[in-house]
Amino acid sequence: MSTVSPVNGRISHWYDQLPAVRPALPGDRDADVCIVGAGYTGLWTAYYLKRADPTLRIVVVEGRFAGFGASGRNGGWLSGLVPGDRNRMAKQYGRESVLAWQQALNDAVDEVIDVTEREGIDAGIVKGGTLHVARNRAQASRLAAEVEEERSWKVDGIAELTKEESAQRIRIDGVVSAYHNPHCARIQPAHLVRGLADTVERLGVDLYERTPAIEIGPGRVRTPLGTVRAPVVLRAPEGFTAKLPGLRRRWLPMNSSMIATEPIPQEIWETIGWQGRETLGDTAHGFFYAQRTVDDRIAIGGRSVPYRFGSRTDVDGRVPERTIVHLTSVLHAALPQTRDIPIAHAWCGVLAVPRDWEACVTFDKVTGLGAAGGYVGHGVTATNLAGRTLTDLVLGRQTPLTELPWVGHRSRDWEPEPLRWIGVRGMYLAYKAADWHEARGIKRTSPIAVVADKIAGRP
């Protein structure tokens, strides 16, 4: 195996080279809508608003460049996964409302695919679904419960697989059971976000990079380069929300890390399979998520260092060396066929986690302030639905999207430091211990994980 160290950071592997940066805000501006953040949420919102009303003057301001955050660093799962707990939301807003939410997310997978085809965005999309695997008895118990849960929410097409049937898709070591969910596509995430940025500019949206928002209020967004005045101001910085005044405890910036291998030779792929380009995940508490990339690598991610004290974020995606070692060991344990394939790149990014682990879309007609986010790691598809929903709210249209349960939902703030650092660190140490416990052969979910879930308020 190569001894050359992988690239560490440099935003993410999805950028083969860092993009040219657009001009910054040239001074004070007036607009009809100002959007803070040029990730998926902000760009989808700009896209649908401009298509709905081409006369709108829309300004998007971005601190670094479009796709600098989670939109350009994620695992590339365009999935129908709900960014929250369906059962808890059903108790609060009604089961039919949550069923509509799930269906809208499944439909949004195809909506994203349709937009990329219409706008000529090459995002490397293959709709192969997701393969979920269990690799011990406790995981198998949770996986069986997941299957029943998905079916109870009328997610169609769920197929339970034996270990032999799973191996016909991907030959993963130690699989006990598996299931396939068709509502997911593999994407190249940076290509999607950069394509969206180009598209909204072509439609007439003004996108200013290198323009960080330092204050957001009714009718204005203040930056070091000038103030944008607009009757509608929409906040969409996701994991970087904590940097804004008064919002440090609103959403916790949770870190997720990834590695990507060098391109894998065809003879090795023949021992692995993965011809359907399914996304791949497991049911461990310290779970992994993976994809076969457009250029025939494996990109795999997990939590590793989940949270930095004081809601700090990474420096351009750099990760500790132990994170690279950990994720490499996860890859080799699941796919030992890759042991001689060098790791090419490692990186991380932040995703926003509300205190109750429930995403939201909000808009106040009186102040003109709106926001969307808190996707708990399931944002690639949810951002599209959020952008369409914000569009309807801003334009005053009452539609099925504006009736979905996440509209107007509000989570309480996270605890102050050091309590949230202690809590999150303790939670993930407990999950690590639970995975160790379950690997010893117990049949059910470790009680350590059950207690950790209750303390964290996780679904």
Side-chain angles (χ1 to χ4, degrees), residues 205-342:
V205 172
D206 292 325
L207 172 53
Y208 297 109
E209 299 178 331
R210 297 176 294 176
T211 305
I214 56 178
E215 184 184 359
I216 296 175
R220 73 185 188 284
V221 174
R222 189 164 65 87
T223 82
L225 304 167
T227 297
V228 180
R229 293 179 176 84
V232 173
V233 173
L234 305 177
R235 191 185 77 239
E238 186 62 357
F240 298 99
T241 298
K243 292 185 174 182
L244 293 168
L247 297 175
R248 181 170 291 276
R249 292 166 52 197
R250 179 64 54 84
W251 293 332
L252 186 138
M254 189 78 76
N255 289 280
S256 196
S257 303
M258 295 195 73
I259 58 171
T261 67
E262 293 285 358
I264 296 174
Q266 181 58 35
E267 60 268 22
I268 301 297
W269 280 119
E270 289 173 0
T271 70
I272 296 173
W274 217 334
Q275 298 304 309
R277 270 64 174 179
E278 305 91 338
T279 56
L280 171 65
D282 75 342
T283 46
H285 301 292
F287 59 88
F288 73 78
Y289 51 93
Q291 67 152 278
R292 178 175 176 174
T293 68
V294 174
D295 56 353
D296 279 336
R297 306 168 191 261
I298 293 174
I300 184 170
R303 287 290 181 262
S304 188
V305 181
Y307 175 69
R308 292 176 169 88
F309 188 88
S311 293
R312 291 181 292 113
T313 55
D314 61 89
V315 178
D316 288 354
R318 287 190 62 82
V319 298
E321 183 65 29
R322 66 181 182 276
T323 295
I324 302 172
V325 172
H326 167 70
L327 290 175
T328 302
S329 70
V330 171
L331 172 62
H332 291 171
L335 291 165
Q337 306 95 315
T338 65
R339 288 188 182 275
D340 293 328
I341 306 297

Side-chain angles (χ1 to χ4, degrees), residues 86-133:
R86 290 170 296 197
N87 292 301
R88 187 160 56 196
M89 292 291 270
K91 289 179 182 178
Q92 197 167 354
Y93 302 107
R95 180 174 174 81
E96 290 304 313
S97 179
V98 178
L99 281 168
W101 190 28
Q102 177 66 79
Q103 186 59 55
L105 285 161
N106 289 346
D107 292 343
V109 174
D110 292 325
E111 169 68 11
V112 173
I113 295 171
D114 290 345
V115 172
T116 60
E117 292 174 351
R118 181 170 66 238
E119 302 296 349
I121 300 170
D122 182 4
I125 297 178
V126 177
K127 193 178 180 184
T130 298
L131 180 65
H132 294 263
V133 300

Side-chain angles (χ1 to χ4, degrees), residues 136-158:
N136 61 44
R137 291 192 295 175
Q139 289 183 23
S141 174
R142 282 196 298 280
L143 186 138
E146 280 185 21
V147 170
E148 293 307 311
E149 177 78 0
E150 294 304 307
R151 288 174 173 165
S152 76
W153 288 105
K154 300 183 180 180
V155 178
D156 63 313
I158 299 294

Side-chain angles (χ1 to χ4, degrees), residues 254 303 306 357 423-433 458:
M254 189 78 76
R303 287 290 181 262
W357 299 73
V424 175
R425 181 173 174 79
M427 177 179 69
Y428 278 94
L429 287 173
Y431 288 142
K432 184 177 181 180
R458 288 191 67 181

Side-chain angles (χ1 to χ4, degrees), residues 54 63-64 77 124 153 164 170 198 218 237 264 274 324 383 385 406:
R64 291 287 293 274
W77 286 36
W153 288 105
E164 291 80 16
I170 310 173
D198 292 341
I264 296 174
W274 217 334
I324 302 172
T383 51
L385 183 60
W406 65 344

